Amino acid sequence: MIMNEKIKASEVALTGVNGEDLGIMSTKEALQLAKEQKVDLVCLSLASSPPPCQLVGRTDFKQQAIKESAKSRKAEKGPKLKEIRLSAFIEEHDYDTKKRQAERILTSGDAVQLLVRLEKKESQEAKQLIEQLVRELKHCGVQEKGIQVSGKQVIAVLLPIA
């Protein structure tokens, strides 16, 4: 990011601290205005002529840059898959807790894997439990595939709604 005296253009298209358009002015005038307001002059892009610049408080700019880089890193990695384990015969209060947990994960942008470990002949109950949970979480997540029933577990994966 090019700031203050490092901007080599003769004139810049200036935007104020609060986003107001200050028009096109010479770089010297813009730097003088930045010094008067005790802020920095930041060049946003070198692609156009005159380059768009903005008056920004140093701490605001740094915080904004940190947030943007964190966002881009998260988007680069993609959503995480978080697992929630249940039992086929779960109490209502525990069920509600697991549902709220899944909602929180989905709304934060991560995927959820619902997993029920089977002990005896409880595959039907486990499948019904997961179907019910998927129906109740429809407002914040979509099912990736069907419900998978394997030998010792029943699994469903929910993706966050974009």
Side-chain angles (χ1 to χ4, degrees), residues 4-5 7 9-14 22-37 39-41 53 55:
N4 298 332
E5 285 79 19
I7 299 172
S10 59
E11 52 183 22
V12 294
L14 191 61
L22 300 176
I24 296 173
M25 61 175 65
S26 73
T27 307
K28 287 181 182 179
E29 288 178 48
L31 283 168
Q32 185 62 39
L33 193 60
K35 285 180 183 173
E36 287 171 9
Q37 295 183 14
V39 292
D40 289 320
L41 179 66
C53 293
L55 296 174

Short mmCIF file of all heavy atoms in Angstrom, two decimals, residues 4-5 7 9-14 22-37 39-41 53 55:
data_model
loop_
_atom_site.label_atom_id
_atom_site.label_comp_id
_atom_site.label_asym_id
_atom_site.label_seq_id
_atom_site.Cartn_x
_atom_site.Cartn_y
_atom_site.Cartn_z
N ASN A 4 1.28 8.49 1.85
CA ASN A 4 1.89 9.80 2.06
C ASN A 4 2.90 10.21 0.98
O ASN A 4 2.55 10.24 -0.19
CB ASN A 4 2.50 9.88 3.46
CG ASN A 4 1.43 9.72 4.53
OD1 ASN A 4 0.28 10.06 4.32
ND2 ASN A 4 1.81 9.20 5.68
N GLU A 5 4.16 10.50 1.35
CA GLU A 5 5.15 11.03 0.42
C GLU A 5 5.57 10.02 -0.64
O GLU A 5 6.22 10.38 -1.62
CB GLU A 5 6.40 11.53 1.18
CG GLU A 5 6.21 12.85 1.90
CD GLU A 5 5.46 12.72 3.21
OE1 GLU A 5 5.39 11.61 3.77
OE2 GLU A 5 4.91 13.73 3.68
N ILE A 7 3.65 8.56 -2.65
CA ILE A 7 2.77 8.70 -3.81
C ILE A 7 3.45 9.64 -4.81
O ILE A 7 3.71 10.80 -4.50
CB ILE A 7 1.38 9.24 -3.38
CG1 ILE A 7 0.71 8.26 -2.42
CG2 ILE A 7 0.50 9.48 -4.60
CD1 ILE A 7 -0.56 8.78 -1.78
N ALA A 9 2.37 10.41 -8.04
CA ALA A 9 1.50 11.06 -9.03
C ALA A 9 1.45 12.57 -8.77
O ALA A 9 1.56 13.02 -7.63
CB ALA A 9 0.10 10.47 -8.96
N SER A 10 1.26 13.36 -9.83
CA SER A 10 1.21 14.82 -9.67
C SER A 10 -0.11 15.27 -9.09
O SER A 10 -0.16 16.24 -8.34
CB SER A 10 1.47 15.52 -11.00
OG SER A 10 0.49 15.10 -11.94
N GLU A 11 -1.22 14.56 -9.44
CA GLU A 11 -2.50 14.87 -8.84
C GLU A 11 -3.26 13.58 -8.52
O GLU A 11 -3.00 12.53 -9.12
CB GLU A 11 -3.33 15.81 -9.71
CG GLU A 11 -3.52 15.39 -11.14
CD GLU A 11 -4.30 16.43 -11.94
OE1 GLU A 11 -4.34 17.61 -11.54
OE2 GLU A 11 -4.88 16.03 -12.95
N VAL A 12 -4.19 13.69 -7.57
CA VAL A 12 -4.93 12.52 -7.09
C VAL A 12 -6.41 12.85 -6.99
O VAL A 12 -6.79 14.01 -6.83
CB VAL A 12 -4.41 12.06 -5.70
CG1 VAL A 12 -2.99 11.56 -5.79
CG2 VAL A 12 -4.54 13.15 -4.67
N ALA A 13 -7.24 11.79 -7.10
CA ALA A 13 -8.68 11.93 -6.85
C ALA A 13 -8.88 11.62 -5.37
O ALA A 13 -8.68 10.48 -4.94
CB ALA A 13 -9.46 10.96 -7.72
N LEU A 14 -9.25 12.62 -4.59
CA LEU A 14 -9.22 12.48 -3.13
C LEU A 14 -10.60 12.22 -2.53
O LEU A 14 -11.59 12.82 -2.94
CB LEU A 14 -8.63 13.75 -2.52
CG LEU A 14 -8.28 13.70 -1.03
CD1 LEU A 14 -7.23 12.63 -0.77
CD2 LEU A 14 -7.78 15.05 -0.57
N LEU A 22 -13.70 14.75 -2.32
CA LEU A 22 -13.05 16.06 -2.26
C LEU A 22 -12.52 16.50 -3.62
O LEU A 22 -11.90 17.56 -3.73
CB LEU A 22 -11.92 16.04 -1.23
CG LEU A 22 -12.34 15.70 0.21
CD1 LEU A 22 -11.13 15.61 1.11
CD2 LEU A 22 -13.32 16.73 0.74
N GLY A 23 -12.72 15.70 -4.66
CA GLY A 23 -12.34 16.07 -6.02
C GLY A 23 -10.88 15.78 -6.34
O GLY A 23 -10.16 15.13 -5.58
N ILE A 24 -10.47 16.29 -7.49
CA ILE A 24 -9.10 16.08 -7.95
C ILE A 24 -8.26 17.28 -7.52
O ILE A 24 -8.65 18.43 -7.72
CB ILE A 24 -9.07 15.92 -9.49
CG1 ILE A 24 -9.86 14.66 -9.88
CG2 ILE A 24 -7.64 15.84 -9.99
CD1 ILE A 24 -10.04 14.48 -11.37
N MET A 25 -7.13 16.97 -6.89
CA MET A 25 -6.21 18.04 -6.45
C MET A 25 -4.78 17.54 -6.54
O MET A 25 -4.53 16.35 -6.71
CB MET A 25 -6.55 18.50 -5.03
CG MET A 25 -6.44 17.45 -3.95
SD MET A 25 -6.73 18.07 -2.28
CE MET A 25 -8.41 18.57 -2.33
N SER A 26 -3.85 18.48 -6.43
CA SER A 26 -2.44 18.09 -6.52
C SER A 26 -2.07 17.27 -5.28
O SER A 26 -2.68 17.39 -4.22
CB SER A 26 -1.55 19.33 -6.61
OG SER A 26 -1.49 19.99 -5.35
N THR A 27 -1.06 16.45 -5.45
CA THR A 27 -0.61 15.58 -4.35
C THR A 27 -0.11 16.42 -3.18
O THR A 27 -0.35 16.06 -2.02
CB THR A 27 0.51 14.64 -4.85
OG1 THR A 27 0.04 13.95 -6.02
CG2 THR A 27 0.87 13.61 -3.80
N LYS A 28 0.54 17.54 -3.46
CA LYS A 28 1.04 18.40 -2.38
C LYS A 28 -0.12 18.94 -1.53
O LYS A 28 -0.04 18.96 -0.30
CB LYS A 28 1.87 19.56 -2.95
CG LYS A 28 3.22 19.13 -3.46
CD LYS A 28 4.01 20.31 -3.98
CE LYS A 28 5.35 19.83 -4.54
NZ LYS A 28 6.14 20.95 -5.08
N GLU A 29 -1.20 19.38 -2.20
CA GLU A 29 -2.37 19.88 -1.47
C GLU A 29 -2.98 18.77 -0.62
O GLU A 29 -3.38 18.99 0.53
CB GLU A 29 -3.43 20.40 -2.45
CG GLU A 29 -3.09 21.69 -3.12
CD GLU A 29 -4.18 22.09 -4.11
OE1 GLU A 29 -5.37 22.06 -3.75
OE2 GLU A 29 -3.82 22.41 -5.26
N ALA A 30 -3.08 17.57 -1.21
CA ALA A 30 -3.67 16.44 -0.50
C ALA A 30 -2.83 16.08 0.73
O ALA A 30 -3.37 15.79 1.81
CB ALA A 30 -3.80 15.23 -1.42
N LEU A 31 -1.50 16.11 0.59
CA LEU A 31 -0.63 15.81 1.73
C LEU A 31 -0.77 16.88 2.82
O LEU A 31 -0.77 16.56 4.01
CB LEU A 31 0.84 15.72 1.27
CG LEU A 31 1.23 14.43 0.56
CD1 LEU A 31 2.60 14.57 -0.09
CD2 LEU A 31 1.21 13.27 1.53
N GLN A 32 -0.87 18.14 2.39
CA GLN A 32 -1.05 19.22 3.35
C GLN A 32 -2.36 19.04 4.12
O GLN A 32 -2.40 19.18 5.34
CB GLN A 32 -1.04 20.57 2.61
CG GLN A 32 -1.10 21.76 3.52
CD GLN A 32 0.12 21.86 4.45
OE1 GLN A 32 1.24 21.56 4.04
NE2 GLN A 32 -0.11 22.25 5.68
N LEU A 33 -3.43 18.67 3.40
CA LEU A 33 -4.73 18.44 4.02
C LEU A 33 -4.66 17.27 5.00
O LEU A 33 -5.22 17.33 6.10
CB LEU A 33 -5.77 18.15 2.92
CG LEU A 33 -7.23 18.19 3.30
CD1 LEU A 33 -7.63 19.57 3.83
CD2 LEU A 33 -8.09 17.84 2.09
N ALA A 34 -3.92 16.23 4.63
CA ALA A 34 -3.75 15.07 5.51
C ALA A 34 -3.02 15.46 6.79
O ALA A 34 -3.40 15.03 7.88
CB ALA A 34 -3.00 13.96 4.79
N LYS A 35 -1.98 16.27 6.66
CA LYS A 35 -1.22 16.72 7.84
C LYS A 35 -2.08 17.58 8.76
O LYS A 35 -2.00 17.47 9.98
CB LYS A 35 0.04 17.46 7.42
CG LYS A 35 1.12 16.54 6.91
CD LYS A 35 2.36 17.30 6.49
CE LYS A 35 3.39 16.33 5.92
NZ LYS A 35 4.54 17.01 5.34
N GLU A 36 -2.90 18.44 8.17
CA GLU A 36 -3.79 19.29 8.97
C GLU A 36 -4.78 18.47 9.79
O GLU A 36 -5.08 18.79 10.93
CB GLU A 36 -4.56 20.26 8.06
CG GLU A 36 -3.72 21.37 7.49
CD GLU A 36 -4.48 22.17 6.43
OE1 GLU A 36 -5.70 21.97 6.27
OE2 GLU A 36 -3.83 23.00 5.76
N GLN A 37 -5.29 17.41 9.18
CA GLN A 37 -6.29 16.58 9.86
C GLN A 37 -5.65 15.45 10.68
O GLN A 37 -6.34 14.65 11.29
CB GLN A 37 -7.26 15.98 8.83
CG GLN A 37 -8.10 17.01 8.13
CD GLN A 37 -9.09 16.38 7.16
OE1 GLN A 37 -9.34 15.19 7.19
NE2 GLN A 37 -9.68 17.21 6.32
N VAL A 39 -4.03 12.73 9.67
CA VAL A 39 -4.35 11.42 9.11
C VAL A 39 -3.34 11.11 8.01
O VAL A 39 -2.47 11.94 7.71
CB VAL A 39 -5.80 11.37 8.54
CG1 VAL A 39 -6.82 11.48 9.64
CG2 VAL A 39 -6.01 12.43 7.48
N ASP A 40 -3.47 9.94 7.40
CA ASP A 40 -2.57 9.54 6.32
C ASP A 40 -3.28 9.63 4.98
O ASP A 40 -4.49 9.45 4.88
CB ASP A 40 -2.10 8.09 6.53
CG ASP A 40 -1.13 7.97 7.69
OD1 ASP A 40 -0.28 8.85 7.83
OD2 ASP A 40 -1.23 6.98 8.43
N LEU A 41 -2.51 9.87 3.93
CA LEU A 41 -3.00 9.85 2.56
C LEU A 41 -2.62 8.48 2.00
O LEU A 41 -1.45 8.14 1.94
CB LEU A 41 -2.36 10.97 1.74
CG LEU A 41 -2.77 11.06 0.28
CD1 LEU A 41 -4.25 11.43 0.17
CD2 LEU A 41 -1.91 12.08 -0.46
N CYS A 53 -7.21 8.28 -4.07
CA CYS A 53 -6.56 8.28 -2.76
C CYS A 53 -7.59 8.62 -1.70
O CYS A 53 -8.63 9.21 -1.99
CB CYS A 53 -5.42 9.29 -2.71
SG CYS A 53 -4.04 8.85 -3.77
N LEU A 55 -8.13 9.84 2.60
CA LEU A 55 -7.58 10.26 3.89
C LEU A 55 -8.05 9.25 4.92
O LEU A 55 -9.26 9.03 5.07
CB LEU A 55 -8.08 11.66 4.24
CG LEU A 55 -7.64 12.78 3.31
CD1 LEU A 55 -8.32 14.08 3.69
CD2 LEU A 55 -6.13 12.95 3.32
#
